[in-house]
Amino acid sequence: MNRIKVLPVSLVNKIAAGEVIERPASCIKELIENSLDAESSDIKITIREGGKKLIRVVDNGRGILPDDLPLVFKSHTTSKLSDENDLYNIKTLGFRGEALASIASVAQVRLISKTADQSDGYEIRIRDAKLYPPEPTAATQGTTVEIEKLFYNTPARRKFLKSDNVELSHISDIISRFAIAYPEISFSLSNIPARSDEANKIILIDLPAEPKESGVLERLSFFYGNEITEELLFAEEEWDRIKISAYLSLPTYTKPISKYQFHYLNRRFIRDKTLSRAVYQAYHNLIPQGRYPFVLLFLTMPSDYFDVNVHPTKIEVRFRDTWKLHDSIVSFIRKQLAEKISLSASIDAPGEPYQGKERVMQAIVDFFATSSQRDVSNQKPTIRAVSPQGEPVDSFRPVPSGQVSPQTPQNEIRPHLDQARVFQIHNAYIIQETQDGILIIDQHALHERILYNQFSRQVSNQGVHKQRLLIPRVVDIPKSKISLLQEVIPHFNKVGIEIEEFGGNTIAIQSIPSVLNNVDLSEFV
């Protein structure tokens, strides 16, 4: 029988690392949080090979006292909590004291720090789980953390890392979250190419400090392009010690995925189903199904209104009054949209997609409710009919073979399915009689399916019909996706889309498949 035993500290730290450190971007997130808590105004990040070989984060914050340096790599050591009461009044981004201990358990780490009243800085290293004592070194005020060979001692974790460009994309996403929330702080990201030295590093992000008021839009424009920021309206409101500031896209500007929704609580980036549900509820009658608005929400509230100590990565929170907050956000967004775009009359009314669906359903009900009494030989229908060959007819007529008449009972018509009547409703749906009932076909979906099958055959046969654009279409893409461009260009070429870099976070589309001539290229790409 197995006996209960106390786990070694090294194993405990590796378990914690599995919860906190998922990839290089996780390390950078934890280190940026520490830099922000240290009141840094400038944060510089340098990486090599997507952060797998090297991560360096340099800040100009308060620094760490020499006597405290041996404690930074121990579990649950922090300067941000003193007693239990502090746990329920958290005002810092970090507080668990797990980050550096977790990182040091799966990487080689070096830390250099200097406070304002020190003449020299001090360096401390941890190699192969061995902690070396602090040593004096030249340094400027602030803290530098270097992480090398991430997951060198946990190969099972290392093999789950993606390509350098994919990991770089995740790192850019993390930096963008902080940069948007803290426009008054400068951020930079440099990448050292593989088989190159630091002198040849490439600066990918270089954001100077901006005023808080205008800086958010400047940062959004940098990461997501001017197209998005031009479509946003700003609004803010306060109630019950809660302040909400929001950048909301108009219902006419939507995205096919929900990743363009960002929620911050006291400037901490969070993921919360309550907030996502509130945004959906506020917009769902105004935009088509399957589309999502661009929304940036900043919530500010007292620390006793929520609990942030519910997830190892601190990305999830628990609100004290969830549904009250949900309803308040729904009301706030609806009111702002109504005031800004004069939609007050339609805010609470079903949107066009729902009205269209209801009209079609009602047309079907009306038709079948009266079809048994209708004299189809001399009455104009409200539903357009087509013959089995697909030709439109002006009225409901007997099945062409003459074997049945309009008055023939339905059970006598069913055996002759090849002669069944076909109807078109609102130029959108096709209805055909079947053995056991009716078949309803969405014409739009059918057309998409036909094009998809044609396109698939062209791709399989390496014969995609391309259309060269007379004037290349210039498209802004998120900054975090630029690093993926070289990886995806061959796949685009395979399906007939020729793309070239155009500088910054802009690309130029040179040609497209012929079947895409009516597609919104910006959104598609």
Side-chain angles (χ1 to χ4, degrees):
M1 184 174 67
N2 293 335
R3 303 292 300 274
I4 296 175
K5 53 180 139 333
V6 178
L7 294 176
V9 173
S10 60
L11 182 55
V12 170
N13 288 339
K14 286 183 179 179
I15 293 173
E19 297 177 335
V20 177
I21 307 303
E22 179 185 2
R23 59 190 345 133
S26 307
C27 298
I28 291 176
K29 171 186 177 294
E30 298 293 337
L31 296 180
I32 290 178
E33 287 182 345
N34 285 344
S35 296
L36 292 173
D37 287 340
E39 299 179 355
S40 304
S41 61
D42 181 52
I43 301 174
K44 294 181 171 64
I45 302 109
T46 303
I47 63 170
R48 184 195 290 270
E49 295 182 15
K52 290 177 281 190
K53 191 170 183 179
L54 170 70
I55 297 171
R56 182 190 301 124
V57 177
V58 181
D59 68 44
N60 63 347
R62 293 191 304 265
I64 303 171
L65 293 171
D67 294 342
D68 289 340
L69 287 176
L71 298 175
V72 297
F73 296 120
K74 294 184 178 295
S75 295
H76 309 300
T77 56
T78 179
S79 61
K80 301 161 189 176
L81 296 179
S82 299
D83 53 38
E84 185 177 346
N85 292 329
D86 292 338
L87 190 61
Y88 304 104
N89 189 32
I90 293 173
K91 294 187 171 78
T92 55
L93 294 172
F95 58 89
R96 289 171 174 266
E98 292 179 349
L100 287 173
S102 298
I103 293 171
S105 69
V106 293
Q108 315 280 30
V109 184
R110 181 169 76 117
L111 186 148
I112 302 171
S113 194
K114 177 183 180 297
T115 61
D117 54 0
Q118 289 178 236
S119 58
D120 293 316
Y122 280 82
E123 172 186 336
I124 187 169
R125 294 179 297 131
I126 187 165
R127 292 286 188 273
D128 300 319
K130 180 181 178 181
L131 181 66
Y132 293 83
E135 297 178 352
T137 187
T140 57
Q141 180 181 336
T143 301
T144 298
V145 180
E146 284 189 359
I147 303 168
E148 296 180 301
K149 300 178 182 178
L150 184 63
F151 299 134
Y152 77 99
N153 56 356
T154 52
R157 295 293 304 279
R158 188 175 180 85
K159 72 180 183 180
F160 281 100
L161 296 179
K162 306 300 182 183
S163 70
D164 294 352
N165 286 332
V166 171
E167 295 301 336
L168 175 56
S169 175
H170 284 288
I171 291 170
S172 297
D173 275 338
I174 289 292
I175 295 174
S176 70
R177 296 174 187 173
F178 288 104
I180 290 170
Y182 292 87
E184 74 277 16
I185 295 174
S186 60
F187 288 87
S188 70
L189 170 64
S190 300
N191 181 46
I192 305 174
R195 298 180 295 277
S196 183
D197 55 26
E198 190 156 347
N200 296 318
K201 67 181 180 181
I202 301 171
I203 299 177
L204 303 176
I205 296 174
D206 188 11
L207 295 171
E210 302 275 358
K212 274 188 179 182
E213 295 72 20
S214 60
V216 173
L217 281 178
E218 291 291 334
R219 298 284 170 92
L220 283 175
S221 178
F222 176 82
F223 287 106
Y224 298 103
N226 294 328
E227 180 186 0
I228 286 180
T229 55
E230 291 171 356
E231 298 289 340
L232 299 180
L233 60 88
F234 174 75
E236 58 183 357
E237 191 171 280
E238 289 189 48
W239 71 87
D240 191 22
R241 299 169 66 201
I242 297 175
K243 179 181 179 180
I244 180 170
S245 302
Y247 294 85
L248 309 169
S249 69
L250 303 177
T252 53
Y253 184 86
T254 58
K255 292 288 184 179
I257 52 178
S258 60
K259 67 170 291 183
Y260 292 95
Q261 295 180 17
F262 308 91
H263 305 144
Y264 291 89
L265 175 60
N266 294 353
R267 298 220 274 184
R268 179 197 301 275
F269 179 84
I270 62 172
R271 291 195 183 100
D272 184 76
K273 292 181 179 179
T274 299
L275 301 182
S276 298
R277 190 185 301 114
V279 171
Y280 169 80
Q281 190 69 29
Y283 273 91
H284 87 279
N285 284 338
L286 300 173
I287 60 178
Q289 188 173 2
R291 306 292 301 184
Y292 302 89
F294 186 103
V295 174
L296 184 64
L297 289 181
F298 289 103
L299 286 171
T300 304
M301 62 178 69
S303 56
D304 59 336
Y305 278 35
F306 62 91
D307 181 9
V308 75
N309 189 29
V310 296
H311 193 276
T313 63
K314 308 180 291 291
I315 202 168
E316 296 179 7
V317 299
R318 184 182 296 115
F319 291 105
R320 191 177 71 184
D321 198 338
T322 300
W323 286 108
K324 182 179 179 181
L325 177 64
H326 170 275
D327 294 344
S328 298
I329 293 175
V330 172
S331 176
F332 164 76
I333 294 178
R334 287 187 173 184
K335 183 177 73 173
Q336 299 304 324
L337 292 175
E339 291 177 354
K340 294 292 194 300
I341 56 179
S342 301
L343 284 178
S344 56
S346 61
I347 284 292
D348 294 316
E352 185 61 25
Y354 297 93
Q355 292 175 346
K357 182 174 69 174
E358 290 170 357
R359 285 198 302 268
V360 171
M361 292 176 63
Q362 189 60 49
I364 295 173
V365 171
D366 292 344
F367 167 67
F368 286 103
T370 59
S371 61
S372 59
Q373 291 84 26
R374 182 180 294 151
D375 181 3
V376 297
S377 61
N378 57 20
Q379 185 176 356
K380 283 275 186 180
T382 58
I383 302 177
R384 183 181 171 212
V386 295
S387 70
Q389 290 76 29
E391 299 174 353
V393 295
D394 293 332
S395 60
F396 299 149
R397 297 180 296 187
V399 175
S401 67
Q403 296 175 353
V404 293
S405 67
Q407 291 78 25
T408 305
Q410 294 297 317
N411 60 357
E412 292 184 26
I413 296 178
R414 285 177 184 164
H416 305 280
L417 293 181
D418 58 326
Q419 301 168 347
R421 291 177 299 182
V422 181
F423 307 103
Q424 185 186 55
I425 299 179
H426 291 304
N427 200 29
Y429 293 89
I430 298 172
I431 299 179
Q432 180 178 359
E433 186 177 28
T434 67
Q435 182 74 34
D436 301 316
I438 60 171
L439 174 67
I440 302 177
I441 301 173
D442 184 330
Q443 287 182 213
H444 180 68
L446 176 61
H447 183 238
E448 287 180 343
R449 187 48 148 182
I450 292 171
L451 291 179
Y452 173 77
N453 289 341
Q454 292 175 350
F455 191 58
S456 296
R457 286 194 295 270
Q458 291 179 16
V459 172
S460 300
N461 298 330
Q462 302 295 319
V464 176
H465 301 306
K466 293 190 292 187
Q467 175 183 338
R468 189 127 188 121
L469 300 180
L470 184 62
I471 301 176
R473 176 65 183 273
V474 178
V475 176
D476 290 336
I477 61 176
K479 200 76 175 179
S480 61
K481 303 306 177 189
I482 287 292
S483 59
L484 299 176
L485 198 57
Q486 294 306 317
E487 287 191 18
V488 301
I489 280 179
H491 301 292
F492 275 109
N493 287 337
K494 185 178 179 181
V495 297
I497 303 174
E498 295 181 10
I499 292 177
E500 296 179 357
E501 293 189 60
F502 204 67
N505 62 326
T506 304
I507 60 173
I509 305 172
Q510 302 288 350
S511 68
I512 60 172
S514 300
V515 296
L516 295 182
N517 55 2
N518 291 321
V519 168
D520 183 339
L521 294 179
S522 301
E523 187 172 287
F524 179 81
V525 171

